[in-house]
Amino acid sequence: MCWDPGTHFIIAARRRSRSYICKKFPKLLKRKKRRKKEKKKKKRTNNSIKTSKYNFFTFLPLNLFEQFQRIANAYFLFLLILQLIPQISSLAWFTTVVPLVLVLAVSGVKDAIDDFVRSWQVVGELDEKWMNVQVGDIIKLENNNFVTADLLLLSSSEPHSLTYIETAELDGETNLKVKQALTVTAELGEDLQKLTEFNGEVKCEAPNNKLDKFTGTLTLRGEKYALDNEKMLLRGCTIRNTEWCFGLVIYAGPDTKLMQNSGKTTFKRTSIDRLMNVLVMVIFAFLGLMCLILAIGNGIWEFDKGYYFQVYLPWAEGVNSASYSGFLMFWSYVIILNTVVPISLYVSVEIIRLGNSFYIDWDRKMYYPLNDTPAQARTTTLNEELGQIKYIFSDKTGTLTQNIMCFNKCSINGKSYGDVYDMSGQRIEINENTEKVDFSYNQLADPKFAFYDHRLVEAVKLNDVPTHRFFRLLSLCHTVMPEEKKEGNLVYQAQSPDEGALVTAARNFGFVFRARTPETITVVEMGETKVYELLSILDFNNVRKRMSVIVRSPEGDLTLYCKGADTILYELLHSSCDSLKEETTEHLNEFAGEALRTLVVAYKNLDEDYFQDWIRRHHEASTALEGREDKLSELYEEIEKDLMVGFSGNLGQALGEAARLVVLGCVTGAVRNMAVLAMNIGYSCNLLNDDMEDVFIIEGRTSDDVLNELRNARKKMKPDSFLDSDESNIQFEKSSKKTKIIPDEEANGVYGLVITGHSLAYALEGNLELELVRTACMCKVVICCRVTPLQKAQVVELVKKYKKAVTLAIGDGANDVSMIKTAHIGVGISGQEGMQAVLSSDFSFAQFRYLQRLLLVHGRWSYIRMCKFLKYFFYKNFAFTLVHFWYGFFSGFSAQTVYDEWFITLYNLVYTSLPVLGMSLFDQDVDDRWSMLFPQLYVPGQQNLYFNKMVFVKCMLQGIYSSLILFFIPYGAMYNTMRSDGKAIADYQSFALMAQTCLLIVVSVQIGLDTSYWTVVNQFFIWGSLSVYFAITFTMYSDGMYLIFTASFPFVGTARNTLSQPNVWLAIFLSITLCVLPVVGFRFMKAQLKPTPSDKLPRMAFKPEHLRLRRTSTRRSGYAFSHQHGFGALIMSGRNMRPKSPFATTGTFSPNSEKYKHKGL
Amino acid sequence: MKNKTSFPPQEGEARPSRCPDNSAFKQQKLPAWKPQLTIATVLSSFFLTGAFCLLVGVCLILSANSVREIQIDYSDKCSECSKLRENSSNWNKECHCSINFALKEGILGDVFMYYGLQNFYQNHRRYVISRSDAQLLGRNANIQKSYCAPFTTYRNGTPMAPCGAIANSMFNDTIDLFYNLNSSVIQVPLLKTGNSWWTDKNVKFRNPESYNLSSAFAGTARPPYWQKPVYLLDEEDERNNGYINDDFIIWMRVSAFATFRNLYRRVKRIRQFADGLPAGNYTFRISYNFPVTKFKGRKHVILSTVVWSGGSNPFLGIAYVVTGTAATLAGFVITAIHLKLRKKKTYFQK
């Protein structure tokens, strides 16, 4: 299913409220039969989206219409019309037509390709069979299928028609959820006949964006059944653990809850785009002003001189007064000075962005070989914005950590395992070549599991009691569901990935969790099948941050096993294990320093009598009507006290890299992370760390509480921000109605802020949002936990609204779509199941850590290139055009051009286009390693320093200065002079040639000065453009061209006669010196006096060993981050148990058994 | 495209790796020259440019000073003729005027005679385009399509040859130079050809083909301000008549500015004038035909020698000296600032 960000959905008209009446379900639609359905085209919403904008016939008119909406293009059309008026026309028609046609053609081709690629992509990525799904269809889904429409669950393969789904795409939570069908529909089973005959009517609410709510009724055979969210499979979920299920499509396509949640697709433009539009308007005003001055000048001139000069030059037909002549001249100058309006600006900018997008696609350092995913720039118009990101919004776990976990290290009874040492006792880095532990003795081992420390296996084989106890605990204390379709092929369905990792580890070390019933857990312990009696699960929750099980072993021992966050468990440990606690703590610190996620496990032997008493009270508590929760936790607390021995297990995660970016952010003090993360994840990802002065937690349940909490936080960070004299407060006073831009405020330290979804809802309301923004933006890291997709988008929107800053949102699931679409830049993590995030993103890659490279290298380069390009582009056009302005004062304001008309035509298109394109595609001020190592280099982009209105004014002034030089040096050099053979040289054509040659060489030298990275291509473009200029000039001014096209090339012989003169070249050299030398001096002095970060880089050999990044090592237990109650209750009730587990229930299967050998497997 | 579904690809399905090529271009690792603005390059560029500019400037000033130039404004000196010409009805009345001047030292070398005009806007847009290049190439071009108006045809339809405002306003004073030697008056021999660009004379201007010139221009009429038709511009020299007349060609090469000078004659270096113009008294005898007073114009006659850098215009020399001085001074300032700043550490602290 695919929703492209740049497309417009075309859907059947949507009524405000609607009941889907599905009178008859004509056919059971097994997916293969889908085609037959196509003929019945009803006006129901189907699942497809139209994405292409043009077809073959509409392309030309539509595209031209769109292009002429661009102000610069429309202006050129207007110019063309002006040129048709003979009194005004001051330039040959080709001077504007050729550039216009070229620009239109290039843009048109690009649009066509974009459109083609887009429709092609969509067709490609959209699973075709889902396209025609319509409301009322019945769909069969199988295990691991992706739900592609909102379905009413009818029946499933599991007992009680339960269906397990994973909603990571929807809400980011990785645990499994259960849905259950109505009993009436569950009866249908997989009987196709019955399903085909199913005849009911569903009435439901209009499509909305509430993910957790659904109300409706099903009328079947005259009886009404209530429908709620428990019976809905929402689009974006994935079916897990369920062989098959049938669902009735309730909402399809854009009506689905997911799509309703994904926010509006907006056309994104970069801040430079907007600035460019403003600048183009400024240029128009400037042009008008120039034309006005010249028109007035013409009026005066005609009155004072032209009137008398009529002897030799009568006024044009119809002109009878000086003022009328001035009026006409205004328009003539509009034509002449048109080159100051950069018509090729937009098209060049597009080409540059396209080029820089390709670099992202091509970057091997952002290619992830494991799932063969290169980075992809899905939007080619936002590149330079990547160099200006100030706020990053990130999705939680999945995005930051890859969500893959494996068991790496452990510390058992004070002994640490997991590291590999060489003969001399030195620790060695683990890489692909390191010898793995051989688990072949265990037939049930998971082949994907890798472990390197052989000592642990030996300890297991030697029947080391604590080690056995450790793994037994891991195999018993969890809520994982096993699945064994084929004998020996165990698959675990874990609520959270860390549970899965731990159970898998135990399995490989010989404690195989095989099967479970509500009352028992079957474990194959070192080849021997044991059935433990499961007496109670003390479930996990957010406050307890631990879970326990109470089991009775086959030998009859009662034991409580517990695992949880270290801080929590340490408090519960019996005082007898204090020494062990210390050793373990040391190990824990070590592990945490390597950015591993840690947890601690413990056990306690229980007394039979005590347990019986406890279980009775537990039963009472769990049936109590009031305060059930509290009572239960009290009981849990009681029994979990005085745990005996602590071990620590450690989960390694692909987390290191992710953390690094955040560390970087802290170094620069610039990239602020308003991460949509849960707090404990914050610690484990190093988002929050001990360097922070304080981490504020906002968890108020009322609007006032939230306000107070926010205010207190702000008071602590910046006490004087409440004073009336504070800058921001003054600003609020001033601008009352308009959207206020809040200036950046500096806090007096590094702070973090955690806000819960509930409080966020209040904070996002009306008057609180300002408070939220002010407080939040002072913090380095803001974490919002338990937020809905819409809230994510709101947070992004909030920052966009109040801060003049560029935001980036990164996420991998469908729940991030809204935020990705809202932020200035959306980044999707690709290569995983479900493409929602990627499809609505602007950039995508496979690993979170690539974000660093995307921003610090590609973003920075793109931004610098774009800025350099714009600076140069405006400069060259000003220098070019303003020479006409000065000449006006010497030619009776007659709209006489300085240059040859052909030069005017070709200047922007041929002579100066390629060098500047070369620069903006290849330039690097510092290479990628430096960019990555010195995040300070990124700061100027955030502050928008390289191109803003000030810089534009500077370009303009430089252009004006250059044009003065370019006019007055040739003027002075030619005034009343002659060639060295006495013949004329001060003629118009020689002057034109001289001025244009000066100009072209000056701008070429200028681009050379701007280019800091001279590749072969740059050399070729710059020298090539100059040689092409001379070649074209000599060709156009040749005898042959004149004799053939007499009217078009009147400059015959000028090049030969003028460029052979030494004083012409001396004048050219002088103009270059005067234009360029001050720039050199100025730039050098600026680098000395006000250095930019890149000027500050020490220019010496690259020495990576000195530049290692520091790593913050803080120990936090990363365990316990799934924020839901576990599956404990479900498991104990047995509702989810299947009666069929043929291999496990026999109880005799073991790797070494005779039966196994017989099978010859 | 089937394999691009949202489901992971099937195992064993052969698909080329999507790993990007490891080429220098795609990885942005093209070898490159990375010039830096270092103190050495900046200072050397300033000092070298400064020195070079000073050197060139001094040479230019010296050579411009060696040019001998005599410029005489004769629009006032011939005020009677000026007044006569103000009334256009007197167009066919001849008016002569003489201007005396003395050379204390002789002018050695090639001597060029220019006429100079001031306040004559040859660079006005409508003036510049008011010509027909095709006509001047001797082609039977339709001059109605050119920008010659209003000097295209007479009312009776006879086309003007040549057409346009430029041709019509051609400078038509005749200037002769006389050398007064011991009360005898010797006319200084002047060359009236070889004064224009070779390309103009041989490529850009051609007479219409015919057995003789007057028949070639049959059916056309002279421009209104002209005293004689185009085929009588130089009756003595067939190769300097019609469109390829040097005076005409030079006039048609319009000037870039309102004040300009055009080459009129060269002194023929024979007899007394073999080394140039000897010292003594001279007289310009001017047949005054070209009215300038109406538009407040002025006319000059100029005698000048040339050097490698052209004429007596000192602009370039001065500009070079000024630039050179400024560059050198700026070099010193930069050195001073750099030395002062060097003690400060501007690099990142690691």
Side-chain angles (χ1 to χ4, degrees), chain A residues 224-370:
Chain A
K224 277 194 176 179
Y225 302 91
L227 301 176
D228 60 15
N229 202 37
E230 285 305 296
K231 294 155 189 71
M232 293 294 289
L233 303 176
L234 296 186
R235 177 189 172 125
C237 305
T238 313
I239 306 289
R240 297 282 184 215
N241 241 357
T242 309
E243 221 163 282
W244 51 260
C245 67
F246 285 90
L248 165 67
V249 179
I250 301 285
Y251 303 122
D255 286 348
T256 55
K257 301 236 176 201
L258 179 66
M259 292 337 282
Q260 293 277 317
N261 241 305
S262 63
K264 258 187 218 143
T265 304
T266 45
F267 181 64
K268 289 182 182 177
R269 306 182 75 173
T270 67
S271 51
I272 283 197
D273 264 334
R274 289 185 290 272
L275 181 61
M276 272 195 314
N277 285 347
V278 173
L279 294 184
V280 167
M281 297 316 289
V282 170
I283 289 173
F284 271 124
F286 183 66
L287 173 72
L289 182 72
M290 283 198 296
C291 293
L292 192 69
I293 292 172
L294 291 166
I296 292 171
N298 182 262
I300 295 170
W301 186 88
E302 291 287 354
F303 180 75
D304 182 43
K305 292 185 173 162
Y307 178 75
Y308 304 101
F309 195 57
Q310 285 199 70
V311 202
Y312 291 121
L313 186 65
W315 280 350
E317 232 174 297
V319 178
N320 44 26
S321 72
S323 50
Y324 184 56
S325 162
F327 170 76
L328 288 182
M329 216 44 78
F330 178 85
W331 299 108
S332 298
Y333 268 114
V334 168
I335 298 174
I336 294 270
L337 300 178
N338 75 64
T339 42
V340 83
V341 177
I343 187 180
S344 53
L345 176 70
Y346 292 99
V347 76
S348 311
V349 164
E350 272 172 27
I351 292 173
I352 291 165
R353 286 180 179 153
L354 192 69
N356 282 311
S357 305
F358 275 123
Y359 285 133
I360 294 173
D361 296 350
W362 288 334
D363 194 341
R364 280 169 81 92
K365 287 185 181 152
M366 300 208 299
Y367 167 78
Y368 190 55
L370 287 190

Side-chain angles (χ1 to χ4, degrees), chain A residues 187 331 372 444 461 686 723 749 754 769 1048 1071:
Chain A
E187 289 164 2
W331 299 108
D372 190 29
L444 287 167
K461 283 184 178 164
N686 277 340
L723 302 177
V754 176
E769 58 176 36
S1048 303
S1071 334

Side-chain angles (χ1 to χ4, degrees), chain A residues 101-163:
Chain A
V101 166
L102 218 83
V103 163
L104 290 180
V106 172
S107 306
V109 166
K110 188 177 175 277
D111 286 350
I113 292 174
D114 274 0
D115 194 52
F116 178 74
V117 167
R118 191 185 301 129
S119 55
W120 176 82
Q121 256 180 0
V122 166
V123 169
E125 283 167 7
L126 226 175
D127 204 339
E128 228 173 272
K129 58 201 168 195
W130 292 112
M131 270 191 8
N132 302 309
V133 169
Q134 291 194 348
V135 173
D137 289 352
I138 294 178
I139 292 174
K140 178 182 180 184
L141 291 166
E142 282 161 2
N143 201 11
N144 296 331
N145 272 178
F146 197 66
V147 182
T148 53
D150 289 357
L151 308 174
L152 171 68
L153 180 62
L154 294 177
S155 62
S156 92
S157 58
E158 304 305 294
H160 307 282
S161 68
L162 287 179
T163 302

Side-chain angles (χ1 to χ4, degrees), chain A residues 817-832:
Chain A
V817 167
S818 58
M819 143 173 118
I820 284 172
K821 281 183 177 173
T822 312
H824 290 105
I825 306 258
V827 178
I829 305 287
S830 57
Q832 277 150 8

Side-chain angles (χ1 to χ4, degrees), chain A residues 1066 1069-1070 1073 1077, chain B residues 42-60 317 319-332:
Chain A
L1066 285 175
F1069 179 79
L1070 186 65
T1073 310
L1077 208 57
Chain B
V42 171
L43 284 185
S44 58
S45 66
F46 268 86
F47 285 125
L48 286 179
T49 320
F52 177 77
C53 287
L54 279 174
L55 189 76
V56 173
V58 169
C59 290
L60 280 170
Y320 262 100
V321 169
V322 171
T323 310
T325 317
T328 316
L329 285 180
F332 283 120

Side-chain angles (χ1 to χ4, degrees), chain A residues 311 362 364 887 982 987 1066, chain B residues 20 27 114 139 225 253 256 320:
Chain A
V311 202
W362 288 334
R364 280 169 81 92
Y887 192 48
D987 64 300
L1066 285 175
Chain B
Q27 302 308 315
Y114 297 88
R139 291 180 185 159
Y225 289 8
R253 181 154 286 280
Y320 262 100

